[in-house]
Amino acid sequence: YYGTADATPLFVALLGEPDAAPEIGRFMATLVERELIVRHAESHFPGRREYAFRHSLVRDGAYAMLTEEDQALGHRLVGAWLKQVGETDPGTLASHFEQGGEWPRAAALYAQAMRHALDASDLDAVLARAKRAVGCGARKTYAGLPAYSAPGPSRCVNAAAGGTQWFQTLVRPPS
């Protein structure tokens, strides 16, 4: 969502300037006119405008101009804003909080995303999200948080699902 969002309220939140909405709206119109961004016909969030950078190089260049501190702050604010406007994908939210340095919050959201992947029998996603949760500080125990380990040639994922019910899945890499 750095690059795809309901730009005006998001930028108001990022800038912390509630009175800036008209100016931001004009700025967004200029960016559309100069073909740096495009407005999507439909939005991820009903009733909101959604824009995207016209090219990933422009998005990546704009992002690279931010300091590491501003990138982290931006991800924290975007994560909070997405949650406020109704984003329901815990993986999307977790990614922003992880990049924003809110690792406990990200770990909990990755655990949620892991459970969703487990419910969908997507074992690769379960493994990836467990690894990200542990990377964010989730304890490598079976105390309600995901655990990830890589013993020898196989990868073992353990996940809590539904409180006290436990699943253990052995995932072997493709030959």
Side-chain angles (χ1 to χ4, degrees):
Y1 279 92
Y2 254 131
T4 304
D6 179 7
T8 303
L10 176 59
F11 285 126
V12 167
L14 287 170
L15 296 172
E17 298 287 336
D19 298 332
E23 186 176 340
I24 292 170
R26 288 189 295 275
F27 181 68
M28 297 305 291
T30 300
L31 293 176
V32 168
E33 181 181 305
R34 293 185 181 173
E35 298 184 353
L36 292 171
I37 63 172
V38 294
R39 183 174 174 186
H40 288 233
E42 294 183 22
S43 175
H44 183 75
F45 303 106
R48 297 184 178 271
R49 291 178 302 226
E50 188 168 323
Y51 297 87
F53 282 95
R54 189 168 178 85
H55 197 284
S56 62
L57 290 174
V58 175
R59 180 200 61 221
D60 294 347
Y63 187 76
M65 290 192 307
L66 298 171
T67 65
E68 286 184 25
E69 294 82 15
D70 285 343
Q71 289 175 1
L73 173 62
H75 280 289
R76 286 191 303 273
L77 291 172
V78 168
W81 179 81
L82 286 170
K83 188 168 176 60
Q84 177 188 352
V85 297
E87 177 59 62
T88 59
D89 177 29
T92 297
L93 295 169
S95 177
H96 283 292
F97 290 122
E98 177 184 18
Q99 293 176 76
E102 287 191 28
W103 298 293
R105 194 172 189 184
L109 286 161
Y110 278 129
Q112 253 188 334
M114 189 177 127
R115 289 182 189 105
H116 289 201
L118 188 62
D119 289 344
S121 299
D122 185 348
L123 300 181
D124 288 334
V126 170
L127 179 66
R129 290 168 180 155
K131 189 174 182 179
R132 298 285 294 270
V134 170
C136 289
R139 297 175 65 209
K140 292 184 183 183
T141 68
Y142 305 118
L145 290 174
Y148 167 82
S149 62
S154 63
R155 299 174 291 177
C156 185
V157 176
N158 295 279
T164 60
Q165 185 179 9
W166 298 95
F167 293 91
Q168 183 176 40
T169 307
L170 184 63
V171 182
R172 297 194 184 280
S175 303

